[in-house]
Amino acid sequence: MSAGLRRSFDSLAVPNYRRYFAGQIVSLSGNWMQMVAEVWLILSLTGSGLAVGVTTALQFLPILLFGAWGGVLADRFAKRKLLIVTQALMALPALALLAISVTGSVLPWMVFVLVFARGAVNAVDNPTRQSFAIEMVGPERVVNAVSLNSVLIHSARLVGPTLAGLMIVLVGVEPCFALNALTFAAMIFALWRMDPSALNASPPASRERGAIRAGLRYVRRTPELVVPLGLMALVGTFGLNFQVTLPLLARFSFDGGPSAYAVLVSAMGAGSVVGALLTGAHGRTDRRLISGAALVFGLAALLAAMMPSLALEIPVLALLGASAVTFAAAINSSLQLSVEPQMRGRVMALYSVVLLGSTPIGGPLVGWLSQAYDPRLALLLAASAGLSAAWAGHVALAPRPPRAASQKSAPKTARPKTLSASL
């Protein structure tokens, strides 16, 4: 194994992280199977691109609404125990979807309610998982762990939709819901098997009024946090809506079915895995990585909007996936390394809000644009977001000259006291 490849998997040397990794890849694969099945079920029931956008929006709306409270809980309680609870609760909507699908009583509003319920649990689960990485591996491996978490997500995005597409074609959506409910047991077992004494647990935040406001004030006065979060909000809202874009692209632009959708998702997932491994081997994050990844994302989305056939779309989507995961992992790592430990849950909750909670804004917009005009317009919107973020990141994250040095070199001239204070 080459040195670069070994560096990509460095965090797997930590036993607790190994257990987490194994449980997550099973659980997340099931989760992606369910998401594909939900979207295809709604599309089959309604035939509406807007309904697909609403389904995706409802999945992430709770993160927008409740994600900050999820971050407070992540700071207040032991993250391992909290994750055991959230993983158990997330199995319940899957079982309910299985029941109404098998009995033939499923209606669109039922799917919407259960998607929202799963999202409500995820509003606590997601910031807890995000902030748990550094507790398992420590700050020296956090960039690698975040990248491997991206490998987890996108490996699952590769495996889950492929299996879901096959099962939907052969037997329908019901097995996707059943298997997802079972996969949560793997994650619960992995968490239970961890050695709590080997965790670098952050001290729990004190119970106090205004904990969310305190987190927001902390972020606002810390440029190393507020700028990356702003960039993530831009790309997350207008660029990362592929759960809406890809099924509509498969059906309306390429005249395909579930298998075409699964191929597009899998191509993007494969590229994302490669991008995450390269980021993990890089082992650090900086302004050039963030801005460069945003630039490649914007250019790849532009190319994807121009591809005339499914065969040509596949390699471009792989590049798009690689750049998207590199950008998100670089932002994530930058935040984890810049935040104070007692604020990590709340800051990573804000990351979840701008990454996933922005979907209720962008998802319906992308669904409406795709249905009313063309799914390729959604890719053009993503391209605009990526290119804008590349420029903004290059400018806003550029090193600033020390203020004291600039004042020292300036000529000393008399100024009115009020003018000096206003400056």
Side-chain angles (χ1 to χ4, degrees):
M1 187 183 290
S2 68
L5 192 57
R6 281 198 302 271
R7 285 196 303 271
S8 295
F9 295 97
D10 188 38
S11 294
L12 292 177
V14 180
N16 276 340
Y17 187 79
R18 258 198 323 272
R19 296 182 183 104
Y20 176 87
F21 191 94
Q24 278 283 87
I25 199 165
V26 175
S27 180
L28 289 174
S29 295
N31 198 45
W32 270 103
M33 289 173 62
Q34 176 157 329
M35 286 191 285
V36 169
E38 286 167 350
V39 166
W40 202 259
L41 180 59
I42 281 293
L43 195 56
S44 302
L45 290 171
T46 66
S48 168
L50 182 58
V52 171
V54 169
T55 305
T56 305
L58 286 172
Q59 178 182 338
F60 299 116
L61 180 61
I63 292 179
L64 180 63
L65 298 177
F66 315 126
W69 282 273
V72 171
L73 292 175
D75 281 335
R76 191 172 292 166
F77 296 102
K79 295 176 179 62
R80 172 176 160 270
K81 293 180 179 178
L82 188 56
L83 285 172
I84 289 173
V85 173
T86 57
Q87 290 291 301
L89 290 175
M90 288 181 76
L92 300 180
L95 292 171
L97 277 167
L98 173 63
I100 61 175
S101 300
V102 168
T103 59
S105 58
V106 60
L107 295 172
W109 70 265
M110 298 176 183
V111 181
F112 292 153
V113 168
L114 291 169
V115 167
F116 184 86
R118 180 162 58 86
V121 181
N122 197 37
V124 179
D125 183 84
N126 195 280
T128 307
R129 280 189 292 109
Q130 297 285 353
S131 54
F132 191 43
I134 198 168
E135 293 192 5
M136 287 184 284
V137 302
E140 67 280 358
R141 286 188 170 108
V142 70
V143 175
N144 179 260
V146 167
S147 299
L148 282 180
N149 285 349
S150 299
V151 171
L152 279 172
I153 292 168
H154 295 288
S155 296
R157 188 175 183 172
L158 181 64
V159 174
T162 303
L163 292 176
L166 289 172
M167 282 193 288
I168 291 170
V169 169
L170 296 174
V171 291
V173 297
E174 293 84 357
C176 298
F177 303 136
L179 285 174
N180 184 43
L182 288 173
T183 60
F184 289 110
M187 190 63 222
I188 292 170
F189 180 73
L191 290 164
W192 177 72
R193 286 277 296 148
M194 282 185 179
D195 177 7
S197 65
L199 295 172
N200 303 297
S202 303
S206 58
R207 199 177 179 88
E208 59 180 348
R209 293 175 62 88
I212 294 174
R213 290 194 300 274
L216 292 173
R217 286 195 298 270
Y218 170 69
V219 169
R220 191 169 59 244
R221 67 172 183 262
T222 311
E224 295 85 359
L225 300 176
V226 72
V227 172
L229 283 169
L231 298 177
M232 194 73 252
L234 174 62
V235 176
T237 302
F238 300 109
L240 300 180
N241 295 293
F242 298 111
Q243 284 176 271
V244 179
T245 307
L246 295 185
L248 301 176
L249 197 69
R251 181 154 183 174
F252 299 120
S253 296
F254 299 122
D255 197 27
S259 56
Y261 173 37
V263 165
L264 291 179
V265 175
S266 299
M268 197 165 184
S272 299
V273 169
V274 173
L277 288 173
L278 291 175
T279 305
H282 189 65
R284 63 183 185 275
T285 184
D286 53 31
R287 173 178 65 102
R288 287 176 297 178
L289 182 61
I290 292 172
S291 300
L295 177 62
V296 175
F297 176 85
L299 294 175
L302 189 62
L303 278 175
M306 300 165 59
M307 291 299 102
S309 68
L310 184 66
L312 292 174
E313 190 74 86
I314 289 170
V316 178
L317 283 182
L319 177 61
L320 188 60
S323 57
V325 77
T326 301
F327 176 76
I331 295 285
N332 187 314
S333 303
S334 175
L335 295 172
Q336 298 239 32
L337 292 169
S338 301
V339 67
E340 296 174 6
Q342 66 270 25
M343 286 287 184
R344 185 170 288 116
R346 277 164 281 186
V347 169
M348 297 317 296
L350 289 175
Y351 172 80
S352 298
V353 167
V354 298
L355 174 63
L356 303 175
S358 57
T359 303
I361 301 168
L365 172 63
V366 165
W368 174 77
L369 280 174
S370 299
Q371 183 176 344
Y373 299 99
D374 192 307
R376 297 177 190 277
L377 281 179
L379 293 170
L380 291 176
L381 186 64
S384 300
L387 295 174
S388 299
W391 174 81
H394 179 74
V395 172
L397 295 174
R400 298 284 187 265
R403 191 170 180 179
S406 62
Q407 288 175 343
K408 185 177 180 181
S409 62
K412 294 183 179 180
T413 57
R415 291 184 180 179
K417 188 174 182 180
T418 54
L419 178 60
S420 175
S422 69
L423 294 175

